[in-house]
Amino acid sequence: MLGFLKQPAYKPAQTGPEADAKYKRLRLQVFIGAFIGYAGFYLVRKNLSMAIPAMAPLGFEKTELGFVLGLNAAAYALSKFLMGSVSDRSNARAFLPLGLVLTAISMCFMIVPIQFIGAEHKGFAILVMGLLNFLVGWFNGMGWPPCGRVMTHWFSVSERGTMMSIWNCAHNVGGALVGPMATYGALWFGSWFYGAQTKMYFLIGTFAFPAAVALLVALVAWLLLRDTPQSCGLPSIEAWRNDYPKNYSEKHEETLSTKDIFFKYVLNNKFLWFIALSNAFVYMVRYGCLDWAPSILTEKGIDLKSAGWAYFAYEFAAIPGTLLCGWLSDKLFHGKRALPTILFMALVMVFVILYWMFMDNLNVVIICLIGIGFFIYGPVMLIGVQALDLAPKNASGTAAGLTGFFGYFFGTFILANTVIGWVAQTAGWSWTFILLIAACLLSILFMGLTLKEERSK
């Protein structure tokens, strides 16, 4: 472990009114840092999907760009799982900003294969683009695990659903800004770099402008974040709130070996595998709708600016939906995550069907994207919380990484990007919607297999 990434040593725990005030202050500060930091990752995450419509006139096709998109998802899946284990043994304050800086640099260099290599040397351009987008995905995988670590150490289990639902809106804030940033970044800065070459303006708005903002966000996150309460001279969150889960042990505060994390607490837990499979199909729907929305809309004659705002609406609608889902899981379902996930996925399926039936009507499509965005991100968030609940908090990054691996590798890379891109190219959009409806049903099926275990806990 590099020196600056090592976990800070625990300090003697303070007590009394001053310690309580410090705890409250730092909890808010750390939460804001995790929120802003994670939002920053989504400024430089799936930007290529916004660029795809503008790349078609340059000679790039949907199928090959879908593969490049998929490499991002595959890298993110592997990184979230493997780097989750590194994060469980690292200082979250250093780990998260490092990942964001490396992501921003990789994203900015995405301009090179598009502008300087181009479709004239398409094979080489796609290779370089794929490598860079792989790095973007890999470094993006360094965002969720330290945030999961922070949330499990600073917030106890009975409040975690609500607090995670609020924090989870960070990626909607970041993701929602990608569309407007692509539009206005090109408008504000495109002429500085490309003069009258207006067809190249999107490179600044889609890649360079968000990357510059992400570097600033990384600095802010570093200033605000702290690793654990114990590293700040405070007691554990369970002791401070007197809120101990049934499976709590003092050993959960210790740093585990990689072997114990993987083989004792994660890989032998069949219920983590069930929610991981459910997550794969949730993510197929999430990114099957999100990544291809600009392409569907522009093919129907809708301009790229309107498509960007539809992208924004999808992400922004997730904020109230996620908050509602988290609140319901804590208050109405008393800490159970499976039931609200099943309910929300059933409602997502309704809007997917309407999206398919009224694909030519922009107003109905936007309403459907809002509906899907409202309901899909609750399950995305709750599956992560459920993974944290099913593992001790010193293995939380790895547990969430397993579900994330299935979501991003199988759900996004294999199904949402590669399969849907190929099906859209060869059979048309109607067949992609049939696949999305099937994915909703399968996510509900696998989540249903965890109901009994949740009741027992």
Side-chain angles (χ1 to χ4, degrees):
M1 183 70 68
L2 297 175
F4 73 97
L5 287 178
K6 288 183 179 179
Q7 292 177 7
Y10 286 2
K11 299 177 182 177
Q14 304 171 9
T15 57
E18 290 186 4
D20 287 342
K22 180 179 179 181
Y23 219 124
K24 292 175 182 177
R25 174 178 59 81
L26 282 179
R27 274 187 9 134
L28 177 61
Q29 175 183 315
V30 166
F31 180 84
I32 293 172
F35 188 98
I36 293 174
Y38 197 57
F41 277 95
Y42 274 78
L43 296 177
V44 282
R45 175 69 179 284
K46 304 288 285 185
N47 307 50
L48 181 61
S49 63
M50 278 303 303
I52 286 176
M55 291 171 68
L58 301 179
F60 296 98
E61 298 177 1
K62 286 198 293 288
T63 302
E64 56 203 14
L65 293 176
F67 177 74
V68 174
L69 275 176
L71 288 175
N72 178 287
Y76 183 82
L78 291 167
S79 177
K80 190 173 179 181
F81 186 33
L82 298 176
M83 299 303 281
S85 175
V86 178
S87 174
D88 283 331
R89 296 177 286 113
S90 300
N91 182 354
R93 185 186 186 191
F95 195 85
L96 185 148
L98 174 64
L100 185 51
V101 168
L102 294 173
T103 304
I105 293 171
S106 301
M107 180 61 75
C108 195
F109 274 94
M110 284 288 289
I111 293 172
V112 173
I114 302 171
Q115 179 182 353
F116 297 104
I117 301 175
E120 295 82 5
H121 309 282
K122 186 184 290 187
F124 186 47
I126 292 295
L127 177 64
V128 175
M129 203 184 307
L131 175 61
L132 287 168
N133 214 27
F134 184 92
L135 291 175
V136 168
W138 185 270
F139 295 133
N140 243 289
M142 296 173 67
W144 207 105
C147 289
R149 174 177 172 81
V150 163
M151 296 301 290
T152 54
H153 279 86
W154 288 91
F155 299 94
S156 63
V157 67
S158 67
E159 61 180 346
R160 199 172 294 154
T162 300
M163 296 308 298
M164 285 286 289
S165 70
I166 300 171
W167 166 79
N168 199 67
C169 294
H171 73 257
N172 304 117
V173 172
L177 290 173
V178 171
M181 287 180 87
T183 300
Y184 292 104
L187 181 65
W188 295 336
F189 305 110
S191 61
W192 291 12
F193 294 89
Y194 297 109
Q197 292 182 288
T198 55
K199 67 178 182 179
M200 306 298 286
Y201 283 13
F202 77 96
L203 294 173
I204 297 300
T206 305
F207 300 116
F209 181 43
V213 175
L215 290 174
L216 178 61
V217 171
L219 175 62
V220 174
W222 181 81
L223 292 172
L224 294 175
L225 283 172
R226 300 293 182 272
D227 189 51
T228 64
Q230 294 94 320
S231 69
C232 299
L234 297 168
S236 70
I237 186 61
E238 290 81 8
W240 186 64
R241 296 192 79 239
N242 191 28
D243 184 10
Y244 295 91
K246 289 181 180 180
N247 63 344
Y248 180 79
S249 166
E250 289 292 336
K251 292 184 178 181
H252 293 178
E253 306 297 338
E254 301 172 1
T255 301
L256 295 172
S257 68
T258 301
K259 181 180 177 181
D260 282 345
I261 289 172
F262 279 104
F263 295 103
K264 190 173 181 181
Y265 294 108
V266 176
L267 296 181
N268 67 342
N269 188 331
K270 68 178 181 180
F271 296 101
L272 277 176
W273 289 98
F274 289 150
I275 65 173
L277 287 166
S278 179
N279 203 37
F281 294 108
V282 169
Y283 271 70
M284 180 184 176
V285 178
R286 173 189 179 184
Y287 283 115
C289 292
L290 180 64
D291 285 347
W292 295 106
S295 296
I296 292 175
L297 293 174
T298 52
E299 283 189 13
K300 298 296 180 182
I302 297 163
D303 63 275
L304 185 58
K305 183 176 180 180
S306 296
W309 283 108
Y311 195 100
F312 174 86
Y314 180 96
E315 290 281 2
F316 191 77
I319 296 175
T322 303
L323 294 174
L324 175 63
C325 193
W327 182 85
L328 288 173
S329 75
D330 276 348
K331 304 301 181 183
L332 184 61
F333 294 99
H334 307 293
K336 296 181 179 66
R337 319 301 182 188
L339 282 172
T341 297
I342 290 170
L343 173 63
F344 273 50
M345 285 307 298
L347 293 169
V348 167
M349 185 169 63
V350 171
F351 281 100
V352 169
I353 293 170
L354 291 173
Y355 185 4
W356 179 20
M357 293 173 62
F358 297 96
M359 201 172 10
D360 294 319
N361 188 317
L362 175 61
N363 292 328
V364 176
V365 165
I366 290 178
I367 291 170
C368 290
L369 286 172
I370 290 171
I372 295 168
F374 184 93
F375 289 109
I376 193 71
Y377 282 97
V380 168
M381 178 272 301
L382 281 186
I383 286 174
V385 177
Q386 199 173 11
L388 299 179
D389 291 346
L390 288 171
K393 62 183 182 179
N394 48 6
S396 59
T398 311
L402 176 66
T403 63
F405 175 78
F406 271 73
Y408 283 97
F409 186 81
F410 295 108
T412 309
F413 173 44
I414 300 296
L415 297 172
N417 293 155
T418 305
V419 172
I420 286 184
W422 179 79
V423 170
Q425 186 80 32
T426 58
W429 293 113
S430 289
W431 279 100
T432 68
F433 283 96
I434 293 172
L435 292 177
L436 293 174
I437 293 166
C440 290
L441 293 171
L442 287 168
S443 70
I444 290 170
L445 171 64
F446 284 110
M447 185 52 61
L449 297 176
T450 70
L451 284 169
K452 185 176 180 181
E453 175 69 6
E454 273 204 331
R455 293 192 189 102
S456 70
K457 287 185 179 297

